[in-house]
Every structure is written in C-alpha cells, then in structure tokens.
Amino acid sequence: MSATVSGTPPNPPRAVRWVLLGVMLAMLLSMLDNMVVSTAMPTIVADLGGLSSLSWVVTAYTLVTAVSTPVWGKFGDLFGRKRTYLASIAVFVIGSALCGAAGSMGALIAFRVVQGIGAGGIGAGAFALIAALVPPRERGKYQGMTASVMAIGIIGGPLLGGFVTDHLSWRWAFYINLPLGLLTLVWLQAMLRLPERRIKAKIDWPGIVLLGAFISSVVLGTTWGGDRYAWGSWQTIGLGLAAVVSLLGFLAVERRVGEPLLPPRVFTGHRNFPVAVGILFVVGVVTFGAGLYLPLFQQTVQGASASHSGLLMLPMMLPVVVVSTIAGKVMSATGRYRLFPIVGAALMAIGLGLLATMDADTSRLLTALYMIVLGAGMGLCMQMAGTIAQNAVELRDIGAASSSINLFRTMGGSIGVAVFSTLFNHALSSHTDHIQGFTAGTQTIFTVAAVLCALACAAALLIIEVPLRKAGSPPKPTTPTPDDQPATA
C-alpha cells in the first residue's frame, strides 16, 4: 500500500465549530429520518398497502445501515474522509428522493436500502471527521453539540413527522430530507478542509462479505426470533450458526489481509477500546429501548397524549445535553475522564431500576424524575465513551475505530429492540388485563436494561486513564501505574 497526502491545509481552530455544524446537520438528517418515517408509517400503509411487509421498511434500512457502516469507515481511511462523507450524504439524499416517489411497498423497501447505505456512511463518517478535526483533549468542548443533535432528533422527529403527516403527504417525510441534505453538501464542500489522501490498496472484499453476513445473521435472527419464528426453530438456529461461522471466517481473514476492514490491532492495541465500545453497545440498547417503551408506557398506562410523543422524552434528553456538555468541559480542562463512564453507567442502572418499579399508580412527575436520573447517566457515557475509544487507537485507524463505535451502538439498538419486543409480547400474552400486561412488560424490559448497565459499570472500572491525545498517536500500552488500576472494593 502506498499513500500521498496533498490538498489544502486543515481548518484552523476558529473555523472548527462552523465545520462541525455541517457534520451535525448530516447527523440530524439521518436521525430525523428515522423518527419522521416511523410517525408516518400508518399513512404509508393506507396509501401503498402491503401491511404484511411493513416491518421491512424499518428492518431493511437498519440492516443495510449496520452492514455498510464499517465499509464506509474503512473507505474514509483509504480514500479521504471528506469525499467519502460527501458521497454518503449524496447517496442518502438520492435514496430519500426515490423513497418519496415510490409507487408500491416493494419499491419503498428497495429505496430504503439505498437510504440505509447512505446512512451507514453518515454515522461512520461523522465520528471520524470529529476525530480528525478535534483531538481528544479538546473534544469535550464540543460534546454538547453532538448531544443536542441527538436530543433534537429524538424530540423533534415525532413532532415533525406528525406535522408532515397531518398537513402534507407522507411522501414529504422523505422529501424533507432533500433541502437539508443539499444544504449540508454545499456547506461541507465549502467549509471542510482536510488533506487529501491518495492510497493504493486492495479492498478487503472477503472481509466485507463475511462481516456483512455476520451482521445480517445477528440482526435478522434477533428480529425474527420469538416473533416470526420461534427461538428454537431451524430458521433462528440456522441464522445463529451462520453468524458464528461468518464471524470466525471474518476473524481469520482480518489476520491475513494487508489492509483489513476492521484491523485486529484496533481491538487488541489497548484495552480501553473494547471496554468503551462495550459500554456504547449498552448505551445503544438503552437509548433505543427507552425511546420506544417509555412513551408507550406513558401513553397507554399513564394516559399521556400520543400527539406530542416527542415531548415525553424531554425529561430524559435535556439532562443528556446538559450533563454531556458539563462533563466535556471538565474533561478538556483537566484531562481526566475515567470517572465519568463509571458514574454514568451506575446512574443509568439506578434510573432504569427506578423505572422498573413503575405501575399504573406511578405519577408522571415521578416518572420524569426517574428519567432525569437515566438521562444524566447517558450524558456521562454517550459521548465520553466514544472519545475514550478513539483516543485508544492510532490516527490511521480512526475511520475503522469510528465505524466500530457506530456499529456497536447500532447493533446494540437493533438487538435490544428485538429482545425487548420478545419480552414485552410474552408479558402481554401472559396477562388477561391489558394494562397489567403492559406494566409487567415494561418492568421486565427496564430490569434487564438495568442489569446490563450494572455490567457496563463493572466494565468501566477497567478503563485506564491514559493522557488524551493532542496530536499524533496515543501512548503505547503500558503496565498500569497504581493510580491507573481499577478500583477494588
């Protein structure tokens, strides 16, 4: 492999915030799409039909997003992050235009695949660009921007989806991406300046195929297991075996090829990386699970209005933004960060444990207080774990590392929602009273999530506080000093 670097110099520090705004716009584009489309689903079915295929509108998008994420990340390392990121946004915008023009449910599902390919690049590229523009030591100053985008997407998406569905056509749930996407493309083309990379390297096609087979088997197995097929059915067991075989094949290939899709050194170079992505996997489980079942509980059991479902998440998302911003500034000022994911995972476990106690008599105010505890914990973990993971790898692997971060978070969400759905449906079928079944289902979900967060807290104790990189590669892994050793009881 050979490489040359040329082009305009990188953005000066004073311009970074403006460039990051363009990156955040692309992230918002992807997040809003998920929320808006979910709200428009009933209208889409009424117009196009195909109720039996409705789940594939979401499954196809999620699956392709997960599969394409590491590919986009590696392409960014090889061919330049700017051009790769702009290409992913362009693919997403084209997919949105096609979805809006779809004349049948089959066509819509096919075009959602195109959208999902673009979304995989947006997710992987955003974190890689942030890593390229802002060294870990300075990144805390900008954590609030990322947390704010997530809050706007989760809260504003359903509200925007409801407005579009009520006052326009469902097709505008997709067409609305066009002006925002084009604005983002123009913004980043003009503002983003990174050295261009020209690398001659062989693409790891076997790795791409095997990792895609593994991710597909896991996502489909957890999505269909306990729903379309029983967990013990040959279909579900077959997907599980396919996942194991493809994963073993992928690991064997990655050790052999010259330029692996996900270099093993990323996971073995420093233990902070696997620990951090494990925490992000749990954050993905909690974010998607809480985002789905908390509003359902509030609407069904507590009688909250479904027309303002996005606002129901405010008590959780506002602490995410506030706490993430404060923790980021403290990290940038002091260089200390190890305590944040430990406390954050503990708060998440406590918040979810409190939510698991809710029943039909729990007031909305008490629910909001429990959500504040959960949101504070998420704010300490969500961005901080990503920074810790990126700080643990060399700059040449930032794209692969960033795509791994996004992949594990996405996989956590997909697997979490699938498993939670099975647990919830089992609880509903075990109770003759609907409200009792609903309450039992949400209690089970939040209990399982609390246990996962407790395990994440234990894993966070293994994090070693190495200096945050200002420029260049991270320190070589060393034997921890007494101060770096995990706390023991």
Side-chain angles (χ1 to χ4, degrees), residues 72-216:
W72 283 109
K74 190 60 181 180
F75 282 6
D77 283 340
L78 294 177
F79 308 123
R81 296 188 181 98
K82 177 177 179 178
R83 67 179 66 176
T84 304
Y85 197 55
L86 293 179
S88 67
I89 297 171
V91 171
F92 185 87
V93 170
I94 292 170
S96 298
L98 292 172
C99 286
S104 66
M105 185 62 75
L108 177 61
I109 292 170
F111 297 148
R112 285 283 280 174
V113 169
V114 178
Q115 250 195 325
I117 293 173
I122 291 174
F127 292 101
L129 282 173
I130 292 171
L133 291 166
V134 186
R137 180 61 188 264
E138 303 298 320
R139 203 168 301 158
K141 300 175 182 178
Y142 306 94
Q143 279 190 184
M145 293 179 67
T146 307
S148 298
V149 166
M150 181 169 293
I152 292 171
I154 291 177
I155 296 169
L159 297 177
L160 181 60
F163 175 82
V164 168
T165 303
D166 292 341
H167 300 282
L168 301 171
S169 162
W170 65 264
R171 298 182 185 278
W172 279 96
F174 299 102
Y175 288 149
I176 201 170
N177 293 330
L178 304 187
L180 184 58
L182 293 175
L183 171 63
T184 303
L185 283 171
V186 173
W187 187 292
L188 289 176
Q189 178 61 39
M191 298 288 293
L192 178 59
R193 298 202 301 273
L194 291 173
E196 294 182 3
R197 296 167 59 88
R198 299 184 180 92
I199 296 181
K200 293 181 179 179
K202 291 183 178 180
I203 304 300
D204 179 17
W205 294 113
I208 291 174
V209 171
L210 288 168
L211 182 61
F214 167 70
I215 295 171
S216 300

Side-chain angles (χ1 to χ4, degrees), residues 249-272:
F250 174 73
L251 294 176
V253 166
E254 297 306 275
R255 293 190 183 97
R256 266 198 337 266
V257 297
E259 192 60 46
L261 179 64
L262 290 180
R265 61 179 176 269
V266 170
F267 291 88
T268 60
H270 198 289
R271 76 184 187 195
N272 279 6

Side-chain angles (χ1 to χ4, degrees), residues 100-419:
S104 66
M105 185 62 75
L108 177 61
I109 292 170
F111 297 148
R112 285 283 280 174
V113 169
V114 178
Q115 250 195 325
I117 293 173
I122 291 174
F127 292 101
L129 282 173
I130 292 171
L133 291 166
V134 186
R137 180 61 188 264
E138 303 298 320
R139 203 168 301 158
K141 300 175 182 178
Y142 306 94
Q143 279 190 184
M145 293 179 67
T146 307
S148 298
V149 166
M150 181 169 293
I152 292 171
I154 291 177
I155 296 169
L159 297 177
L160 181 60
F163 175 82
V164 168
T165 303
D166 292 341
H167 300 282
L168 301 171
S169 162
W170 65 264
R171 298 182 185 278
W172 279 96
F174 299 102
Y175 288 149
I176 201 170
N177 293 330
L178 304 187
L180 184 58
L182 293 175
L183 171 63
T184 303
L185 283 171
V186 173
W187 187 292
L188 289 176
Q189 178 61 39
M191 298 288 293
L192 178 59
R193 298 202 301 273
L194 291 173
E196 294 182 3
R197 296 167 59 88
R198 299 184 180 92
I199 296 181
K200 293 181 179 179
K202 291 183 178 180
I203 304 300
D204 179 17
W205 294 113
I208 291 174
V209 171
L210 288 168
L211 182 61
F214 167 70
I215 295 171
S216 300
S217 299
V218 171
V219 173
L220 291 177
T222 53
T223 301
W224 288 343
D227 182 16
R228 178 173 296 188
Y229 306 112
W231 285 109
S233 67
W234 68 265
Q235 293 94 338
T236 306
I237 294 174
L239 287 169
L241 291 174
V244 172
V245 171
S246 54
L247 176 60
L248 293 175
F250 174 73
L251 294 176
V253 166
E254 297 306 275
R255 293 190 183 97
R256 266 198 337 266
V257 297
E259 192 60 46
L261 179 64
L262 290 180
R265 61 179 176 269
V266 170
F267 291 88
T268 60
H270 198 289
R271 76 184 187 195
N272 279 6
F273 186 84
V275 171
V277 295
I279 293 172
L280 288 169
F281 179 89
V282 174
V283 169
V285 172
V286 173
T287 303
F288 283 83
L292 177 61
Y293 289 99
L294 265 175
L296 281 176
F297 179 87
Q298 291 170 298
Q299 293 166 26
T300 306
V301 179
Q302 297 180 328
S305 171
S307 61
H308 299 95
S309 58
L311 299 178
L312 298 176
M313 300 302 291
L314 270 175
M316 186 179 81
M317 294 313 301
L318 286 181
V320 170
V321 176
V322 174
V323 173
S324 178
T325 302
I326 295 173
K329 290 183 181 298
V330 172
M331 180 187 71
S332 292
T334 65
R336 312 293 288 184
Y337 55 84
R338 180 173 176 268
L339 186 64
F340 293 127
I342 297 172
V343 176
L347 285 176
M348 288 170 62
I350 293 170
L352 288 162
L354 292 171
L355 289 170
T357 66
M358 294 189 304
D359 55 28
D361 297 323
T362 304
S363 67
R364 294 187 200 174
L365 175 60
L366 193 56
T367 299
L369 293 176
Y370 295 164
M371 293 171 70
I372 289 172
V373 177
L374 174 59
M378 292 171 65
L380 289 173
C381 285
M382 196 173 289
Q383 305 302 322
M384 200 66 67
T387 299
I388 292 170
Q390 289 179 329
N391 189 60
V393 302
E394 298 178 24
L395 290 176
R396 62 172 174 164
D397 293 324
I398 281 294
S402 300
S403 65
S404 298
I405 291 169
N406 205 51
L407 173 62
F408 274 80
R409 186 158 32 205
T410 302
M411 291 281 286
S414 299
I415 294 172
V417 168
V419 173

